Amino acid sequence: MTDTAPRHPHPVAGLRFGYGTNGLTDLRLDDALGLLADLGYAGVGLTLDHMHLDPLAPDLAARTRQVARRLDRLGLTATVETGARYVLDPRRKHGPSLLDPDPERRADRVRLLTRAVQVASDLGAHAVHCFSGITPDGTSDDIAWTRLADALGPVLDAASGAGVPLAVEPEPGHLLSSLTDFQRLRHALDDPDPELLGLTLDIGHCQCLEPLPPADCVRAAAPWLRHVQIEDMRRGVHEHLPFGDGEIDFPPVLEALAAVGYRGLTVVELPRHSHAGPDLAARSIDFLRRAEAVASAAATTAVPLPVRAEGGTP
């Protein structure tokens, strides 16, 4: 005897949208957080940088406590992001990286990441985001991978002690640029617990360079998924675009996120659009809500599959 059940037993629900502060750099942090709460966002991707929560300025712990109180009052959650362009080096974008030939400069990046872990712990954040960096000229892949694994060791120790997962992002043009590269890192580090070493999945990057469609990337990444960034993008072009300006079909992506049980933040990532940040934040949440509604309708009207009744034969 058989019964029927929806193909997708869990319609799209419970997704929590956030917006990255790297797309609101023309606003004071208090104002940016207030804006996002007013617009109905559930959280924020908080980039540690000089214009918001500066990780290198004095009294970081006290300033972090103030931000934590502000988040709590507004009902926002957070992920800590570490992609600030010039926070460590005013002349080199994203420098120094975890791959820098100079061990002292690599250590500067490690210290920033371990500081970010403490900030995330103090904020009650979901994860700390990071990326590998671009392979320096004259450096072989084998040496670069060894540097990356060695540099992440103390960061993972800090994350383990704080109970905050590290979420590594595959970034186009970097040493670790794909989901396949993320698996290589996991193996180099002896397959840490996904609750310790997780993944930041940027949906636009999937469209840009992954062989699988973005929704399939979500399913492939599900066991390690700790943070999601989202924006529009075109195939082969690493340019973060407002929703509707690229090629991504978003309802299947949101349906996939819900289906795999992802409960972290899905954060709009538009770092080059800060000049229009408030308007784009409003337009983005409206777009995502419409896409979520389409995805939910598709999930609840899918063709049913036969389901074996309890006690039946396989």
Side-chain angles (χ1 to χ4, degrees), residues 62-79:
R63 290 183 288 113
T64 300
R65 287 193 293 271
Q66 291 177 346
V67 174
R69 289 192 291 268
R70 177 72 167 154
L71 290 170
D72 184 62
R73 287 194 298 270
L74 295 171
L76 296 173
T77 59
T79 300

Side-chain angles (χ1 to χ4, degrees), residues 159-313:
S160 178
V164 178
L166 192 66
V168 179
E169 179 189 9
E171 180 79 17
H174 284 210
L175 174 70
L176 197 159
S177 64
S178 67
L179 293 177
T180 298
D181 292 335
F182 174 72
Q183 296 303 327
R184 178 172 178 172
L185 176 64
R186 286 185 55 248
H187 295 321
L189 292 167
D190 297 325
D191 296 332
D193 189 321
E195 293 297 328
L196 177 60
L197 179 65
L199 177 74
T200 292
L201 188 68
D202 188 303
I203 301 303
H205 295 173
C206 296
Q207 177 69 22
C208 179
L209 55 74
E210 292 286 353
L212 295 173
D216 288 343
C217 288
V218 170
R219 288 182 276 270
W224 303 280
L225 202 55
R226 295 295 170 268
H227 182 44
V228 172
Q229 297 172 343
I230 193 165
E231 71 285 318
D232 218 337
M233 204 167 287
R234 300 187 182 98
R235 185 70 178 169
V237 182
H238 184 204
E239 182 183 3
H240 290 235
L241 300 172
F243 297 118
D245 288 358
E247 301 169 341
I248 299 176
D249 183 15
F250 284 96
V253 173
L254 301 183
E255 187 178 351
L257 286 169
V260 303
Y262 176 67
R263 292 297 178 263
L265 286 175
T266 299
V267 172
V268 179
E269 183 80 355
L270 293 173
R272 297 188 178 182
H273 293 78
S274 188
H275 62 283
D279 178 60
L280 277 174
R283 288 164 49 193
S284 295
I285 191 68
D286 288 345
F287 180 96
L288 289 169
R289 285 170 175 155
R290 291 195 302 271
E292 187 179 30
V294 171
S296 184
T300 55
T301 59
V303 177
L305 289 176
V307 176
R308 177 166 49 89
E310 186 176 356
T313 57

Side-chain angles (χ1 to χ4, degrees), residues 49-99:
D49 208 347
H50 63 88
M51 75 288 291
H52 285 150
L53 186 56
D54 188 342
L56 304 183
D59 301 321
L60 177 60
R63 290 183 288 113
T64 300
R65 287 193 293 271
Q66 291 177 346
V67 174
R69 289 192 291 268
R70 177 72 167 154
L71 290 170
D72 184 62
R73 287 194 298 270
L74 295 171
L76 296 173
T77 59
T79 300
V80 171
E81 302 200 5
T82 61
R85 294 184 180 94
Y86 298 101
V87 68
L88 289 177
D89 187 331
R91 293 175 175 84
R92 267 204 315 165
K93 180 182 176 183
H94 295 150
S97 79
L98 296 171
L99 310 179

